[in-house]
């Protein structure tokens, strides 16, 4: 009887071993053949952002990404881990790691002067970044696969904010952000540069101290009505220079300055308007951050102009448009001031004039013919509308205020929409959430009793019962 039992136990052990071995082989095979990872972290720390995944699904061009890092360095590991996520989503993106110390010839051919350089190549286009983040890498892929060049032109000659100035009043920081997103950035005189503008150009008026000449205003009007883009950041004290111009496109700049007591909650003063209400317009539809506009004015929209106006952003109901003088202490005057919410940004889309539409149609045909011949023609597009976007403040893009909450991101969102570059993404870095759990004194005692007393006794009792049952056999 004992011999039969031993044979039975031995056969059972062999079967179990064979089954386990088969399971391990099957798991290994499927893990190799079907590379799939699962991210169970609450913040999805080991997954790509949905915006990145959508872009990769639509990617129709091959891109090679090269990271120049010292082998076995933390940066090299982070680069490979990040690029693995891209490789799992699409075969269009390939990547490689090169150590400049081991392969100096390749590093020299790419002009590498520092560790941590990441280069993306697609066809003859090459872009680089020094940031090892998902946002930087995704936007690098977008820029290197983008058709044509997008240009942001800041006006000058009227006391505008300077893209080269790094003091509080300058706008060098937003200019740096634009370059980092792959846009060409320039500042100059309207009359001197107007012939260089096309539908891939955004003209930005970054606040002024003097009015524009009639010839300059005419240039802006013709540019908009031929399918161009103008983003006007106008402070209340300069509104009179542009009232007639804005009125033509259904945007009215009201008298007064916004007072918003709610900004005190964030450590501000009432002259800083808190903006957290955004419309369903594509330029701000998914924007969730609050913006702060200092000494901002108010806008209204009306029908009957050359364009179709839409409201983009508003203050809260607690704000108002102060019509009187700004004294040390101000309060709402129901018979004089305008109660909130107050509109601070609006856009007017303007149909392209008939002659310009014919030109655009002709350009589209030329583009299709060139494409059929394998040529590229990206200097013009077949855009059917011009865009005029107005923000009743220019301080929010200044170096001093740009870093306030969503100010810089709001400006970038507006620029991207104006140039039909919504693909350029703002992906916030993911940070692990603190999951610390603090036990109460009673919970500590229960955990101690369970781990030190109950669990060991349970294991001992189970073993004892099993031993006695076997012994009875």
């Amino acid at each position: 009887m004992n011999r039969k039992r031993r044979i039975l136990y031995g056969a059972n052990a062999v079967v179990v071993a064979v089954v386990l071995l088969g399971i391990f082989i099957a798991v290994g095979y499927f893990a190799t053949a079907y590379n799939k990872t699962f991210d169970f972290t609450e913040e999805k720390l080991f997954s790509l952002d949905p915006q990145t995944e959508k872009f990769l699904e639509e990617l129709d061009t091959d891109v090679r990404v090269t990271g120049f890092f010292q082998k076995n360095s933390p940066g090299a590991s982070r680069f490979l881990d990040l690029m693995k996520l891209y490789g799992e989503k699409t075969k269009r993106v390939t990547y490689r790691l090169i150590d400049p110390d081991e392969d100096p010839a390749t590093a020299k051919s790419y002009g590498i002067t520092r560790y941590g350089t990441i280069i993306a190549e697609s066809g003859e286009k090459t872009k680089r970044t020094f940031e090892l983040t998902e946002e930087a890498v995704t936007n690098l892929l977008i820029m290197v696969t983008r058709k044509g060049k997008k240009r942001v032109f800041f006006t000058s000659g009227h006391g505008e904010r300077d893209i080269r100035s790094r003091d509080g009043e300058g706008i060098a920081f937003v200019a740096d952000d634009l370059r980092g997103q792959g846009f060409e950035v320039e500042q100059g005189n309207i009359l001197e540069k107007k012939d260089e503008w096309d539908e891939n150009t955004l003209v930005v008026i970054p606040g002024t101290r003097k009015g524009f000449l009639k010839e300059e205003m005419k240039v802006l009007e013709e540019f908009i009505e031929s399918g161009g883009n103008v983003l006007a950041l106008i402070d209340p004290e300069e509104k009179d220079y542009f009232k007639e111009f804005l009125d033509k496109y259904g945007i009215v700049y009201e008298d007064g300055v916004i007072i918003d007591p709610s900004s005190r909650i964030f450590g501000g003063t009432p002259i800083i308007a808190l903006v957290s209400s955004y419309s369903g317009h594509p330029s701000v539809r998914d924007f969730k951050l609050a913006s702060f506009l200092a000494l901002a004015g108010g806008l209204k929209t009306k029908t009957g102009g050359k364009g179709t106006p839409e409201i983009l952003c508003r203050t809260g109901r607690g704000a108002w448009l102060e019509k009187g003088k700004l004294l040390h202490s101000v309060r709402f005057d129901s018979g004089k001031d305008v109660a909130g919410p107050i509109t601070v940004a609006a856009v007017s889309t303007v149909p392209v004039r008939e002659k310009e539409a014919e030109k655009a149609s002709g350009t589209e045909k030329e583009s299709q013919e060139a494409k059929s011949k394998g040529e590229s023609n990206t200097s013009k597009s077949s855009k059917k509308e011009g865009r005029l976007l107005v923000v009743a403040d220019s301080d929010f893009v200044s170096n001093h205020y740009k870093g306030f909450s969503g100010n810089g991101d709001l400006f970038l969102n507006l620029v991207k929409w104006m140039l039909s570059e919504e693909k350029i993404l703002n992906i916030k870095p993911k940070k692990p959430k603190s999951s610390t759990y603090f036990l109460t004194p009673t919970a500590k005692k229960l955990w101690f009793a369970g781990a030190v007393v109950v669990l060991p006794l349970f294991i001992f009792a189970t073993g004892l019962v099993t031993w006695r049952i076997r012994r009875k056999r």
Side-chain angles (χ1 to χ4, degrees):
M1 187 71 180
N2 289 336
R3 184 182 175 188
K4 289 183 178 180
R5 185 180 297 172
R6 286 197 298 271
I7 293 174
L8 182 63
Y9 285 157
N12 183 56
V14 171
V15 171
V16 170
V18 171
V19 170
L20 287 176
L21 180 61
I23 292 174
F24 287 135
I25 292 174
V27 170
Y29 169 76
F30 285 109
T32 303
Y34 304 97
N35 189 2
K36 180 69 175 176
T37 58
F38 299 91
D39 186 358
F40 295 105
T41 59
E42 182 180 353
E43 300 82 10
K44 299 299 177 184
L45 299 174
F46 307 104
S47 302
L48 294 176
D49 190 272
Q51 299 177 86
T52 297
E53 293 182 351
K54 182 179 179 182
F55 164 73
L56 294 176
E57 289 174 3
E58 299 172 353
L59 186 63
D60 58 1
T61 307
D62 293 334
V63 185
R64 183 173 72 172
V65 181
T66 305
F68 291 88
F69 296 86
Q70 286 181 300
K71 192 173 289 185
N72 300 324
S73 67
S77 299
R78 287 173 50 213
F79 171 77
L80 292 175
D81 290 341
L82 179 60
M83 293 312 305
K84 181 181 177 182
L85 298 178
Y86 286 82
E88 290 174 352
K89 294 297 179 182
T90 178
K91 295 181 179 180
R92 291 285 189 181
V93 178
T94 57
Y95 59 93
R96 59 177 179 165
L97 176 70
I98 292 180
D99 188 336
D101 298 328
E102 295 184 359
D103 192 355
T106 302
K108 185 178 180 180
S109 67
Y110 281 96
I112 303 302
T113 58
R114 56 183 282 191
Y115 298 116
T117 304
I118 302 172
I119 292 180
E121 302 169 272
S122 180
E124 297 181 355
K125 296 180 71 174
T126 301
K127 296 288 183 181
R128 67 181 62 201
T129 184
F130 302 103
E131 295 183 50
L132 183 50
T133 63
E134 181 187 345
E135 178 183 23
V137 172
T138 299
N139 286 327
L140 194 68
L141 300 180
I142 293 173
M143 288 185 284
V144 81
T145 57
R146 178 165 54 193
K147 306 297 188 294
K149 295 182 179 179
K150 302 292 184 176
R151 182 184 184 199
V152 181
F153 179 87
F154 291 85
T155 64
S156 66
H158 316 87
E160 290 94 335
R161 298 179 186 276
D162 192 344
I163 64 172
R164 298 167 300 178
S165 174
R166 297 191 174 274
D167 61 21
E169 295 297 314
I171 51 174
F173 296 166
V174 294
D176 290 343
D177 287 347
L178 290 171
R179 294 188 187 97
Q181 299 278 351
F183 296 105
E184 292 186 358
V185 181
E186 184 183 358
Q187 188 163 26
N189 183 276
I190 291 176
L191 297 179
E192 293 177 356
K193 297 290 185 176
K194 62 175 182 169
D195 293 333
E196 299 177 10
W197 301 349
D198 60 20
E199 294 168 358
N200 292 320
T201 301
L202 169 63
V203 176
V204 180
I205 304 173
T208 65
R209 295 295 176 265
K210 296 180 181 179
F212 283 29
L213 298 174
K214 289 184 179 180
E215 292 83 356
E216 293 174 317
M217 300 303 293
K218 185 178 180 181
V219 168
L220 292 178
E221 290 179 25
E222 291 178 350
F223 181 55
I224 294 171
E225 291 166 23
S226 63
N229 314 283
V230 174
L231 172 55
L233 312 179
I234 304 173
D235 296 305
E237 55 266 32
E238 279 80 46
K239 66 181 182 301
D240 291 337
Y241 300 139
F242 299 94
K243 271 194 170 183
E244 183 179 346
F245 169 69
L246 301 180
D247 190 71
K248 292 180 180 179
Y249 300 102
I251 298 176
V252 179
Y253 203 125
E254 298 192 88
D255 294 328
V257 174
I258 295 177
I259 300 296
D260 191 354
S262 64
S263 61
R264 287 197 178 107
I265 300 174
F266 300 91
T269 63
I271 61 171
I272 298 179
L274 168 63
V275 179
S276 58
S277 176
Y278 302 96
S279 71
H281 190 271
S283 62
V284 292
R285 181 170 48 214
D286 299 320
F287 196 75
K288 306 298 182 185
L289 300 174
S291 304
F292 294 88
L293 280 64
L295 289 171
L299 304 174
K300 288 194 306 184
T301 59
K302 68 171 188 176
T303 58
K306 294 181 178 180
T308 304
E310 293 182 65
I311 292 172
L312 301 183
C313 334
R314 286 175 170 169
T315 66
R317 294 186 177 277
W320 72 85
L321 193 62
E322 176 64 40
K323 296 287 188 175
K325 292 184 179 180
L326 290 180
L327 303 176
H328 180 69
S329 177
V330 292
R331 59 179 60 183
F332 178 70
D333 185 344
S334 59
K336 184 179 180 182
D337 300 329
V338 179
I342 306 296
T343 299
V344 296
V347 64
S348 181
T349 52
V350 184
V352 174
R353 293 179 305 198
E354 187 175 344
K355 290 183 179 179
E356 297 297 337
E358 290 175 2
K359 290 181 182 178
S361 178
T363 302
E364 185 178 10
K365 291 178 181 178
E366 292 173 8
S367 179
Q368 292 175 350
E369 290 174 1
K371 189 174 181 180
S372 66
K373 295 177 182 178
E375 301 171 355
S376 64
N377 183 6
T378 57
S379 61
K380 299 286 182 180
S381 68
S382 56
K383 189 178 172 186
K384 302 298 183 183
E385 67 178 20
R387 295 171 174 177
L388 170 62
L389 196 154
V390 183
V391 181
D393 176 57
S394 71
D395 292 295
F396 82 104
V397 296
S398 67
N399 297 334
H400 181 73
Y401 287 102
K402 179 255 177 186
F404 280 36
S405 190
N407 285 10
D409 291 330
L410 175 62
F411 179 72
L412 286 177
N413 267 38
L414 298 179
V415 169
K416 292 170 191 174
W417 178 79
M418 293 289 280
L419 287 171
S420 302
E421 280 293 320
E422 296 91 336
K423 279 187 177 180
I424 299 291
L425 308 177
N426 287 329
I427 301 173
K428 299 302 177 185
K430 301 172 184 176
K431 296 181 180 179
K433 186 184 294 184
S434 176
S435 302
T436 305
Y437 179 71
F438 295 96
L439 296 174
T440 63
T442 302
K444 289 179 180 178
K445 291 178 182 178
L446 291 174
W447 274 103
F448 177 81
V452 178
V453 181
V454 176
L455 183 60
L457 284 176
F458 174 77
I459 296 173
F460 176 76
T462 301
L464 182 63
V465 170
T466 302
W467 176 72
R468 289 184 64 83
I469 291 174
R470 287 184 175 180
R471 185 153 180 186
K472 285 181 180 181
R473 292 178 181 177

